Amino acid sequence: MGNQTVKRYRNYATVVYPESAPDGWQEILVQQFVPAFVSPLHDKDIDPGGQPKKSHYHVIIMYDGVKTVEQARDLFGLIGGVGCEVVQSLRGYARYLCHLDNPDKQQYCVDDVRSICGADYVGVIGLAIDRYKAISDMIDYCKDNGIVAYCD
C-alpha cells in the first residue's frame, strides 16, 4: 500500500430505483443499524430536457465513525443502490432530499422523509434562521393572546 492512505468518511449517499431494488429494501437498510435518511419517492422530477426522470429514492447513510467508500458500497449493494457518493455537507444533502433549496425543482414533503436508526431529519435540516423565526412566532402568539405565564 505504500504511502497511500485510504480515505474514510462518515456520510455517503446513493440512489435507489424501485424496480431494481430487492423486495423490502428499506427493511434491509434498517437491519444494518446505520442511521439513514430515505427521501420520499422522487416521481415528479424533470430532466433538463423537460422529460420526466425515472422514479427514484435518495438514501443517505451516516456512520458513527469513518468508513471507506468500499464499506459504504457494500451496504448500498444490499439495497440495490446505484452509485456511492461521499456527502460533503450532511445538511445540504439532507435538504436536497426534498429539494428545499431548489425552488425550480419539484418540492417533496419533509414529513415523508424516513429517518432510520435514530437519525434526526428535522434536526439535520434546520437552519438558525428557522429557529429564530419559530421563536419570533411564539413571542407574537403570546403577545396577541395575552399569555404571560408558561403554564398558559
Side-chain angles (χ1 to χ4, degrees):
M1 190 109 165
N3 288 340
Q4 289 183 325
T5 57
V6 176
K7 295 203 176 213
R8 297 171 182 264
Y9 305 91
R10 288 183 187 271
N11 307 312
Y12 296 89
T14 193
V15 173
V16 174
Y17 296 99
E19 68 275 5
S20 58
D23 290 339
W25 68 270
Q26 290 192 33
E27 290 314 307
I28 293 169
L29 181 59
V30 168
Q31 292 166 6
Q32 304 314 300
F33 301 105
V34 175
F37 298 133
V38 178
S39 74
L41 180 63
H42 282 219
D43 57 357
K44 295 175 184 67
D45 290 358
I46 305 297
D47 72 18
Q51 298 301 310
K53 288 185 177 181
K54 189 161 58 163
S55 294
H56 60 279
Y57 295 91
H58 293 275
V59 178
I60 303 172
I61 55 174
M62 298 157 285
Y63 290 108
D64 292 332
V66 292
K67 301 289 183 185
T68 65
V69 172
E70 289 74 26
Q71 289 171 305
R73 259 194 212 116
D74 288 346
L75 189 153
F76 289 150
L78 297 173
I79 62 170
V82 176
C84 179
E85 180 180 355
V86 172
V87 174
Q88 299 294 336
S89 168
L90 181 57
R91 174 172 284 131
Y93 205 110
R95 292 179 64 83
Y96 182 76
L97 296 183
C98 294
H99 296 153
L100 297 178
D101 301 312
N102 304 89
D104 53 320
K105 293 188 175 194
Q106 175 66 39
Q107 298 295 294
Y108 295 97
C109 182
V110 168
D111 294 336
D112 294 336
V113 172
R114 183 168 183 198
S115 294
I116 294 172
C117 294
D120 177 10
Y121 185 66
V122 173
V124 169
I125 65 168
L127 298 173
I129 192 78
D130 297 334
R131 286 192 295 276
Y132 298 140
K133 171 82 171 93
I135 292 168
S136 174
D137 290 348
M138 286 186 270
I139 291 169
D140 290 345
Y141 179 84
C142 290
K143 285 180 182 176
D144 294 345
N145 292 286
I147 296 173
V148 295
Y150 182 76
C151 63
D152 292 338

